[in-house]
Amino acid sequence: MHLETLPTTLKEKLDSLKDELAIIDVREQGVFAQGHLLFASNVPLSRFELEFPRLVPCQTTPIVLCDDGNRQSDLALQAKELLCSFGYEFVSILKGGVQGWQNSGYELFSGVNVLSKSFGEYVEEACHTPCIDPAELLDLRTKGTQLIVLDSRPSSEYHRMSIPGAINIPGAELVYRFQEVTPDPDTLIVVNCAGRTRSIIGAQSLINAGAPNRVVALKNGTMGWKLAGLELENRKNRTAPKPDTQNLKWAQNAAQKVATNANVNYIDWDTLDLWQEQSDKQTLYLLDVRTPEEYESGHLPKSRSAPGGQLVQATDTFIGTHGARVVLLDNDGVRARMTASWLNQMGRKNVHVLQHSVLPRSSEKGPETPEYLGFLHHDSDTITPAELFVQSKNHKITWLDLADSRTYRNGHIQGAWFTVRSRISECLEQIPSSNEYVLTSPCGTMAELTRPDVVNHVQASVKTLEGGTNAWVAAGFPLTTGFECMAAQPNDVYWLPYDYDPEEAELRMREYLSWETNLIPQIEKEANAGFSVASPPVAKERL
């Protein structure tokens, strides 16, 4: 008999949270997005070994796993057995899953990053963050008003599509860099994102910091711009440089005032060293909130890259344990303080800023080193792209593609079946039996993880494509697009409005924006959300 947690017991723990607690939903992201607990983080069983140790690093953390409550698939039980085999000590399953939670009278929330997005809506309502709609912005431009548009999204999102003329300054970078591109205080600053949240938080960050300019959020972001019938730009790379000495000093003083107003906590090197020694018993998240490029150029050992704007926008994808110690790092005294101010107001307890620059101890370079539960089985059952290309011409080979459905649609090897690891037995029932299977995924890791599962279900040769689909493309072999061979529904990932075909995208945008603006009434039913706002300066009204 496995240990279960009743919905009422979990609700009581959340309402009076004093100790650490992780709530992990193990369903695929697309299913998770249909309805989940507000305080749950999503770690799909398909990717469990890859994502769980990053999200819940301490093996003594009390963990509650949840799925849809369907005991036939028993995803939560499979996840529990896996965690216990790797040394996690306190793991239980939510009785009845998300359906049991709802049947007990508690709220389920659709979408992803709900707590962060709800907080953005809360901030707009509480701070009266000023906004401008696309038509008004266009009219001001036509009249020659002195203004600038700052896109607060990560560079990858900005590169995909952006407001014409917008400059990319991701969220936590705004206070740090904005004066480099807005030296005149008479310039109107318009902050945008794809929808609403990062526009609101970005604009309010500048207002809270006492920016000398008038600052507004672009209502509904790039979606609102598109829905107004206006054209977006693609593949632009306009960015703001790091601040000069004078602007850096201003940003540091401004961030310090914001942090003081938001009751931000600080620690020194000695405390950090002590907390790292204790991290096997009390969770410690060491998060570097600078840009990914700065992180890769040199970072503190055991720290993770968590750009500040995204940390506020998608907190549940970086921090899986409630009540854990969180230490934010930068090298300038601006970005960590601004990020911590928002996390404090979001109700995240135990957030601290390292008082000192990380640079003296930044001995590691390159991207974050992944941690896995267990080890990947690198064995001889692989085949190179060149070998496979030749062999596939001579005899029948069944391809299984373990990429997510969005990636599969955008490019896969012709004839490959879209499959999902957590539903592999159901997928294989949909695929004609074969004497030889070859598994692939973008870099090959998911294929390697899935190979033992396939071996357990078929009496045939099972190999993985060496280097995955990326190696296939690098070897010069073609891909095809679309949903060609589907052994599972494409509900493994959360589809954003821009992921849909153009004729459907606008409908999805309207639905998404309506969902965001309706979060506040629903969040009010969760009395333990813990949101608050520090009193900000009054936004400037002049043009």
Side-chain angles (χ1 to χ4, degrees):
M1 183 68 180
H2 55 266
L3 181 64
E4 292 185 315
T5 295
L6 294 171
T8 51
T9 302
L10 179 58
K11 187 64 165 64
E12 289 170 1
K13 288 182 179 180
L14 286 170
D15 285 342
S16 59
L17 188 62
K18 297 178 181 178
D19 302 313
E20 292 188 4
L21 176 65
I23 305 171
I24 306 298
D25 193 314
V26 301
R27 298 172 297 163
E28 298 299 318
Q29 187 192 49
V31 182
F32 167 85
Q34 294 172 13
H36 58 85
L37 279 65
L38 177 63
F39 291 96
S41 289
N42 182 219
V43 186
L45 185 61
S46 295
R47 303 183 55 82
F48 217 63
E49 296 94 331
L50 305 180
E51 297 183 4
F52 196 88
R54 174 184 59 81
L55 203 60
V56 187
C58 182
Q59 294 187 335
T60 60
T61 300
I63 300 165
V64 178
L65 302 172
C66 53
D67 55 18
D68 58 10
N70 182 351
R71 292 283 72 92
Q72 285 186 320
S73 57
D74 251 339
L75 299 179
L77 181 58
Q78 293 179 59
K80 180 179 185 296
E81 292 172 347
L82 188 62
L83 290 178
C84 291
S85 71
F86 288 115
Y88 283 84
E89 299 178 21
F90 306 107
V91 185
S92 70
I93 295 173
L94 179 63
K95 185 175 178 61
V98 296
Q99 189 59 56
W101 179 263
Q102 188 175 49
N103 291 345
S104 297
Y106 307 132
E107 286 290 303
L108 292 180
F109 291 81
S110 62
V112 297
N113 310 134
V114 174
L115 200 61
S116 295
K117 292 183 182 297
S118 302
F119 178 66
E121 296 295 327
Y122 175 86
V123 167
E124 183 188 49
E125 186 174 282
C127 297
H128 307 290
T129 307
C131 68
I132 186 173
D133 64 39
E136 185 181 358
L137 173 57
L138 185 63
D139 183 57
L140 289 177
R141 276 184 166 176
T142 303
K143 292 177 179 177
T145 302
Q146 188 172 309
L147 62 85
I148 190 169
V149 179
L150 304 181
D151 191 313
S152 62
R153 299 172 297 162
S155 58
S156 58
E157 291 186 51
Y158 168 82
H159 184 73
R160 184 176 181 181
M161 93 287 290
S162 58
I163 305 297
I167 296 174
N168 185 213
I169 308 183
E173 305 291 313
L174 281 164
V175 172
Y176 182 59
R177 298 175 188 258
F178 85 98
Q179 291 195 97
E180 291 299 310
V181 293
T182 319
D184 189 338
D186 289 327
T187 300
L188 171 66
I189 297 176
V190 181
V191 181
N192 82 274
C193 65
R196 295 175 52 81
T197 310
R198 289 169 289 183
S199 302
I200 295 165
I201 296 297
Q204 196 62 49
S205 291
L206 291 172
I207 293 169
N208 289 356
N213 307 71
R214 181 185 177 223
V215 182
V216 297
L218 178 60
K219 186 175 182 180
N220 297 334
T222 56
M223 293 187 200
W225 188 266
K226 182 70 174 177
L227 291 172
L230 304 174
E231 292 297 317
L232 294 167
E233 292 184 324
N234 305 106
R235 297 178 293 279
K236 298 301 179 182
N237 293 295
R238 292 180 292 264
T239 59
K242 291 183 180 181
D244 62 21
T245 302
Q246 181 179 348
N247 288 338
L248 175 59
K249 186 66 175 177
W250 181 93
Q252 289 171 330
N253 290 336
Q256 180 60 58
K257 292 176 184 177
V258 170
T260 299
N261 201 34
N263 299 314
V264 168
N265 300 309
Y266 299 90
I267 64 167
D268 56 19
W269 282 117
D270 290 339
T271 303
L272 178 59
D273 291 340
L274 175 63
W275 285 5
Q276 287 185 301
E277 292 175 7
Q278 298 171 341
S279 61
D280 60 337
K281 297 297 182 183
Q282 186 167 357
T283 305
L284 173 64
Y285 293 97
L286 203 56
L287 304 180
D288 191 320
V289 300
R290 300 175 298 162
T291 66
E293 293 78 15
E294 290 174 276
Y295 175 87
E296 291 185 17
S297 70
H299 57 267
L300 201 64
K302 298 183 179 179
S303 66
R304 288 172 39 215
S305 178
Q310 286 305 100
L311 179 55
V312 175
Q313 158 75 9
T315 312
D316 58 309
T317 65
F318 293 95
I319 303 171
T321 301
H322 299 281
R325 290 167 170 167
V326 178
V327 177
L328 305 185
L329 314 172
D330 65 15
N331 66 319
D332 48 73
V334 179
R335 291 168 285 185
R337 284 171 170 80
M338 293 302 301
T339 304
S341 74
W342 286 123
L343 293 180
N344 273 14
Q345 294 170 84
M346 196 186 294
R348 286 282 174 175
K349 299 177 175 63
N350 228 351
V351 176
H352 303 76
V353 170
L354 181 65
Q355 286 178 322
H356 309 287
S357 170
V358 297
L359 293 182
R361 295 195 187 183
S362 297
S363 59
E364 290 190 356
K365 298 183 183 298
E368 185 179 327
T369 303
E371 296 181 31
Y372 301 140
L373 286 177
F375 301 93
L376 294 178
H377 300 285
H378 300 284
D379 51 36
S380 59
D381 292 306
T382 61
I383 186 168
T384 68
E387 292 170 338
L388 186 57
F389 184 75
V390 172
Q391 290 186 24
S392 63
K393 288 186 173 182
N394 299 325
H395 60 281
K396 173 67 175 177
I397 294 175
T398 298
W399 296 81
L400 305 183
D401 193 327
L402 278 301
D404 65 70
S405 55
R406 184 188 295 112
T407 302
Y408 176 89
R409 184 198 64 175
N410 292 339
H412 61 271
I413 298 169
Q414 188 168 12
W417 287 86
F418 167 72
T419 53
V420 177
R421 183 189 176 203
S422 64
R423 303 199 291 267
I424 196 63
S425 60
E426 301 168 33
C427 290
L428 289 170
E429 290 175 0
Q430 305 299 316
I431 300 170
S433 60
S434 176
N435 292 323
E436 187 169 359
Y437 295 84
V438 175
L439 280 62
T440 188
S441 58
C443 68
T445 299
M446 279 299 298
E448 288 183 52
L449 280 173
T450 308
R451 182 181 175 276
D453 302 325
V454 177
V455 168
N456 289 336
H457 284 89
V458 300
Q459 299 295 319
S461 168
V462 182
K463 297 181 180 181
T464 58
L465 179 60
E466 190 174 298
T469 309
N470 293 345
W472 176 268
V473 173
F477 301 129
L479 298 179
T480 189
T481 60
F483 290 129
E484 181 185 11
C485 301
M486 304 297 290
Q489 293 182 11
N491 62 357
D492 56 312
V493 292
Y494 176 63
W495 288 71
L496 295 166
Y498 291 109
D499 293 327
Y500 291 89
D501 294 330
E503 58 270 18
E504 189 176 355
E506 290 197 7
L507 172 62
R508 297 292 181 174
M509 290 178 196
R510 296 183 192 281
E511 291 176 346
Y512 178 87
L513 294 169
S514 177
W515 167 78
E516 277 199 309
T517 54
N518 286 325
L519 282 172
I520 288 296
Q522 189 179 13
I523 206 78
E524 288 175 347
K525 299 177 184 178
E526 287 286 341
N528 56 356
F531 294 163
S532 64
V533 293
S535 300
V538 177
K540 295 175 177 59
E541 296 297 333
R542 63 184 175 82
L543 285 177

